Amino acid sequence: MAKEKGRKLIAQNKKARHDYHILDTYEAGLVLTGTEVKSLRQGRASLADGFIQLDGNEAWLYNVHVPEYSQGTWTNHSARRKRKLLLHRVEIDKLEAKSGESGFTIVPLALYFKDGRAKVEIALARGKKEYDKRQTLREKQDRRETERAMSAVRRRQRA
């Protein structure tokens, strides 16, 4: 069997980008069981309620829903078990120092396969206030409107 190349996205946490200011991102490996990998290869997972906690010198991923593998037997995994993240010591130390400060948290942004290995993109983030969320939406709408106007002008120039 040929080895996989590139990045295959499994799940994204769009709500995290809406609810938090993303300050720094990291790529971490995941310690998974066989049935979890098979379930992820089917493209089934949810990062909606996921979060990362640092215990001692290890990082753990909580509340990520990976459904049970349909052809699994008694070896199947539990859907919301905690999973160990594989990070370098320096990265863990940085995250621990920053997340200890008030207002900072660590959230998962995306779950994907990179060259055949399961990875999770995590971010050091600070929560947004309600007015920040409204401002972000307003900026996004303004950007869309200017792009529409620019494309309309370009179409008229071509005709």
Side-chain angles (χ1 to χ4, degrees):
M1 191 167 143
K3 189 171 180 174
E4 284 185 44
K5 293 286 182 196
R7 181 175 159 157
K8 179 188 170 200
L9 187 66
I10 300 165
Q12 244 183 340
N13 191 354
K14 293 180 181 177
K15 189 176 179 184
R17 294 197 186 273
H18 181 264
D19 290 343
Y20 299 100
H21 291 288
I22 306 300
L23 303 175
D24 204 4
T25 60
Y26 299 91
E27 181 180 74
L30 276 169
V31 176
L32 299 172
T33 63
T35 55
E36 285 175 318
V37 175
K38 290 182 178 193
S39 185
L40 287 176
R41 290 210 184 276
Q42 291 177 339
R44 299 168 33 198
S46 172
L47 296 173
D49 301 327
F51 64 95
I52 287 97
Q53 272 190 342
L54 301 171
D55 296 335
N57 293 324
E58 296 178 338
W60 294 90
L61 180 64
Y62 288 90
N63 263 0
V64 170
H65 186 264
V66 177
E68 289 187 352
Y69 183 57
S70 56
Q71 281 86 36
T73 57
W74 57 272
T75 59
N76 240 338
H77 63 279
S78 63
R80 288 202 184 265
R81 75 175 188 90
K82 71 177 187 176
R83 295 165 179 92
K84 187 175 180 179
L85 295 178
L86 304 173
L87 288 162
H88 290 283
R89 169 74 52 229
V90 175
E91 293 172 333
I92 291 174
D93 292 341
K94 281 182 190 175
L95 286 171
E96 198 162 22
K98 277 295 201 176
S99 67
E101 295 177 21
S102 179
F104 287 99
T105 188
I106 309 168
V107 293
L109 297 179
L111 186 61
Y112 54 92
F113 283 107
K114 182 178 177 185
D115 298 335
R117 301 191 188 250
K119 304 282 184 181
V120 63
E121 182 180 15
I122 63 174
L124 181 66
R126 175 181 277 148
K128 284 185 182 178
K129 304 283 186 218
E130 196 63 38
Y131 58 84
D132 288 334
K133 294 177 189 179
R134 285 194 296 267
Q135 180 66 28
T136 304
L137 285 174
R138 196 173 301 119
E139 288 170 1
K140 193 173 182 181
Q141 288 173 345
D142 291 344
R143 217 175 306 117
R144 268 196 211 128
E145 289 174 10
T146 55
E147 286 174 9
R148 281 189 191 127
M150 295 294 286
S151 64
V153 168
R154 284 189 211 114
R155 268 188 302 226
R156 275 190 239 123
Q157 288 176 350
R158 278 191 237 136

